[in-house]
Amino acid sequence: MITTDSVHGAPTWLDLGTPDLDGAVAFYEGIFGWRFQAGGAETGGYGMFRLDGKTVAGGMTVTPDQGAPAWTVYFRTADADATAKAAEQAGGTAFLPPMDVLDQGRMAILGDPAGATFGLWQPGLHTGFGHVTQDGGLNWVELYTSDVAAAEEFYGAALGWGTFDVQFPGGSYTTVNPAGQDEHAMFGGIVPLDADADADADADASEAQAGPHWVPYIHVPDVDAAAAAARTLGGTVRSAPVDVPGVGRIAKLADPYGAGFAVIKGDPEQK
């Protein structure tokens, strides 16, 4: 599961790039109750989303030439340079090579061999999440990719992940966990791009059109209410709320500028 502990290879941060930061702040406050604290001039406008005073994510303005609106998941490393090098040797790409972020830490933005973008974070003063798992916090991450086996191999080489297949009616789901830990430490899954084809053609089309990418799941007390709020606030329901046996209730959404994410209310029997 996702924790606030600093564990190598596990999700440690999440941030949003958006063309309209004020509009995005209003949207996410309306859905999750997040409040935004803008950084100073030295941060280039980067700021923090907080819930009850605890950090849950970051956010910044991006221009069209800098990239499309999106959420980026960062994975913890003790050495961003060494991990970036391992990723490149495994077939990945360094879109933004390792660099210091003031005294807060060291970061890099990479792409896996299929093209999914993710980040590395080597903690300095900023150690990562202050709130996860429960309402308003990151609860799960999911990689949509064209080749599950290749993704397992790449992230295993770059970040040391272990994998475990969970059996469901009609198939299996590949989960991932930090190096040296078992399936009880799983924090995410790897899914074929066409995985939803039989269950929800619209959802499948949405994920397939986006190409390989990461999706963050935020825990909410009411998935249907979150989906309704997204519509009201100008966002999109990419995949309607649905119950997943043994997991909980989920929906896939997008903010008004196109950044995709998902919401989940976990099955209490699984906690």
Side-chain angles (χ1 to χ4, degrees):
M1 65 185 297
I2 295 174
T3 75
T4 56
D5 295 336
S6 190
V7 178
H8 178 75
T12 193
W13 192 238
L14 177 70
D15 67 18
L16 173 70
T18 179
D20 184 342
L21 187 55
D22 289 340
V25 166
F27 176 82
Y28 290 102
E29 181 176 353
I31 290 188
F32 301 134
W34 291 354
R35 297 299 180 92
F36 189 73
Q37 181 178 341
E42 70 278 6
T43 71
Y46 191 97
M48 302 287 188
F49 288 102
R50 298 180 183 273
L51 183 65
D52 297 330
K54 297 179 179 179
T55 55
V56 291
M60 62 182 175
T61 301
V62 295
T63 59
D65 61 309
Q66 292 174 316
W71 282 100
T72 300
V73 180
Y74 292 74
F75 300 98
R76 198 268 189 192
T77 175
D79 187 333
D81 295 82
T83 302
K85 182 177 180 179
E88 289 185 278
Q89 290 176 337
T93 303
F95 295 130
L96 179 65
M99 59 175 285
D100 290 327
V101 183
L102 303 174
D103 55 359
Q104 299 301 299
R106 191 163 175 79
M107 66 167 285
I109 301 295
L110 309 179
D112 69 20
T117 299
F118 64 100
L120 301 178
W121 183 252
Q122 178 183 331
L125 292 181
H126 177 58
T127 58
F129 295 118
H131 172 77
V132 294
T133 306
Q134 303 302 314
D135 291 342
L138 184 68
N139 183 270
W140 191 252
V141 295
E142 202 163 61
L143 173 65
Y144 277 81
T145 186
S146 52
D147 189 331
V148 172
E152 290 183 69
E153 183 176 355
F154 169 78
Y155 288 99
L159 289 163
W161 290 355
T163 60
F164 180 79
D165 287 340
V166 177
Q167 300 302 314
F168 285 102
S172 64
Y173 179 81
T174 300
T175 67
V176 294
N177 51 265
Q181 301 191 40
D182 61 19
E183 63 270 20
H184 298 292
M186 68 178 75
F187 58 75
I190 305 176
V191 185
L193 277 173
D194 61 356
D196 294 328
D198 294 332
D200 189 331
D202 291 336
D204 173 59
S206 174
E207 301 300 353
Q209 289 170 7
H213 63 287
W214 282 95
V215 177
Y217 281 70
I218 308 299
H219 201 277
V220 294
D222 188 325
V223 168
D224 296 78
R231 287 195 184 96
T232 299
L233 294 165
T236 303
V237 177
R238 300 185 300 125
S239 178
V242 62
D243 290 321
V244 179
V247 174
R249 190 164 178 81
I250 66 172
K252 294 179 181 177
L253 312 175
D255 69 23
Y257 313 102
F261 64 100
V263 292
I264 181 171
K265 178 177 175 58
D267 182 346
E269 296 298 324
Q270 300 300 311
K271 296 182 179 181

